[in-house]
Amino acid sequence: LAVLLVVTEPIVIIWLAVELAHPVTWVLAFLLMGRQYARFASLGHEAVHRTLFTNNKLNDIVGRWILSYPSWVPFELYRRSHLDHHRDEMGPKEPDKALYRAYPITRASFRRKLIRDMTGQTGFKLFRGLVRAALKRKPAAVKIMLCQVPLVAVFVLIGRPELYVLLWWLPHVTVWRVINRLRSVAEHGGLMQSTDRRQTTHDVKQGPLSSFWLVPFNIGYHLAHHVDMGVPNWNLPKLHQELLASGWVTPEYSYPNYRSLWRALRSAPRHE
């Protein structure tokens, strides 16, 4: 049902944008399509951990061809690097360390990063690398590009090929890059290598607004996920409650909301 919802939502968003054809509707559709990538990524992340479906073959087929490749994610490479991430958070072999290691940073530095994301500079740089990999016939990149063909064909068939760029590709290199950075640094920014997961992964109280835009399908219960990565996303709130009830997660390790965490992550003095 979750996969069906995630696949259907972009169709509805684009259809409403075309039907209503109002400037506000187009802007809202653009933002919501960027949010859709967070939803694809959340379920794709489940598939990487083989917790989306109990049947491993079905899990990987859906994870690859429905959730990851169409949304520009190299499934196999992501699985390999992500499991390395779980083996040694913030350690020397941490593949995502560049995203987290410098925090806390200054407000100006944080703002510059978000502006680069917002204006497509980060996204286009990554997209250019993907195109180069596809031209070199790297298997993961080729699969991603092949999955774009039927998407382009659909937009051509409805007589609106420009919408592929405006409501599929462009939200990915702009809105999604902002969401992805905000979520990523909220997971591990400013922490350290440790066997204690509370020192490698942030705990943030979940709310409806953050769940809608930033951390869908319970992916925001990230400390619980790192305590046991074999727990499916729909059971993470239960695990989180057990961690609270046991006294293992205490207020000193928790943030009341994402705003307070981002404020802490951009609190470095200017001279630094």
Side-chain angles (χ1 to χ4, degrees):
L1 287 173
V3 172
L4 183 62
L5 180 66
V6 164
V7 171
T8 305
E9 282 172 334
I11 299 170
V12 174
I13 292 168
I14 293 169
W15 177 76
L16 285 173
V18 172
E19 283 295 306
L20 298 175
H22 189 279
V24 173
T25 311
W26 286 113
V27 171
L28 187 59
F30 185 84
L31 294 173
L32 287 174
M33 287 300 292
R35 165 191 176 258
Q36 281 306 120
Y37 283 105
R39 297 172 71 73
F40 276 98
S42 182
L43 294 185
H45 170 262
E46 287 298 306
V48 158
H49 283 285
R50 294 194 171 97
T51 52
L52 186 61
F53 292 98
T54 53
N55 181 296
N56 281 345
K57 188 173 182 180
L58 178 62
N59 180 90
D60 284 6
I61 288 172
V62 173
R64 285 186 178 96
W65 298 102
I66 295 179
L67 298 170
S68 296
Y69 296 151
S71 59
W72 313 95
V73 178
F75 184 82
E76 294 87 352
L77 298 179
Y78 174 50
R79 172 176 275 167
R80 195 180 310 140
S81 68
H82 188 66
L83 294 181
D84 283 343
H85 161 69
H86 273 274
R87 288 187 189 100
D88 190 16
E89 299 101 317
M90 311 303 294
K93 294 183 179 180
E94 163 69 81
D96 300 325
K97 199 171 183 179
L99 278 171
Y100 323 128
R101 64 185 174 190
Y103 290 88
I105 58 177
T106 64
R107 290 174 63 92
S109 177
F110 196 72
R111 184 170 57 251
R112 285 195 300 271
K113 291 178 189 298
L114 292 179
I115 289 173
R116 286 197 297 268
D117 296 338
M118 210 177 300
T119 55
Q121 296 174 63
T122 306
F124 187 73
K125 180 181 178 181
L126 294 170
F127 177 74
R128 191 169 51 197
L130 178 65
V131 171
R132 286 174 178 166
L135 292 174
K136 292 177 181 178
R137 298 183 182 180
K138 300 289 184 180
V142 169
K143 290 172 185 175
I144 289 172
M145 291 305 182
L146 285 176
C147 272
Q148 303 309 308
V149 174
L151 294 176
V152 173
V154 168
F155 284 102
V156 171
L157 285 173
I158 67 172
R160 300 298 299 269
E162 76 281 5
L163 293 185
Y164 172 81
V165 175
L166 295 175
L167 289 182
W168 185 255
W169 180 76
L170 204 54
H172 175 262
V173 298
T174 54
V175 181
W176 163 237
R177 298 323 314 176
V178 174
I179 292 173
N180 188 54
R181 184 180 299 277
L182 290 174
R183 178 193 53 79
S184 296
V185 299
E187 290 174 351
H188 303 284
L191 294 175
M192 65 184 76
Q193 183 183 18
S194 174
T195 55
D196 186 342
R197 294 288 186 260
R198 295 171 298 181
Q199 295 183 341
T200 66
T201 309
H202 289 297
D203 179 65
V204 187
K205 185 176 180 182
Q206 301 298 289
L209 195 60
S210 59
S211 295
F212 181 83
W213 283 106
L214 192 73
V215 283
F217 300 113
N218 296 323
I219 201 171
Y221 290 96
H222 207 64
L223 178 56
H225 171 61
H226 273 265
V227 167
D228 189 341
M229 65 179 179
V231 174
N233 60 345
W234 52 84
N235 278 333
L236 286 177
K238 293 180 184 178
L239 176 56
H240 177 71
Q241 287 304 315
E242 290 294 334
L243 297 174
L244 287 172
S246 71
W248 190 74
V249 176
T250 58
E252 66 179 301
Y253 290 109
S254 299
Y255 286 85
N257 52 55
Y258 283 95
R259 292 190 308 278
S260 61
L261 175 52
W262 293 326
R263 197 157 45 240
L265 292 174
R266 62 173 195 259
S267 62
R270 287 183 184 179
H271 68 271
E272 292 183 13

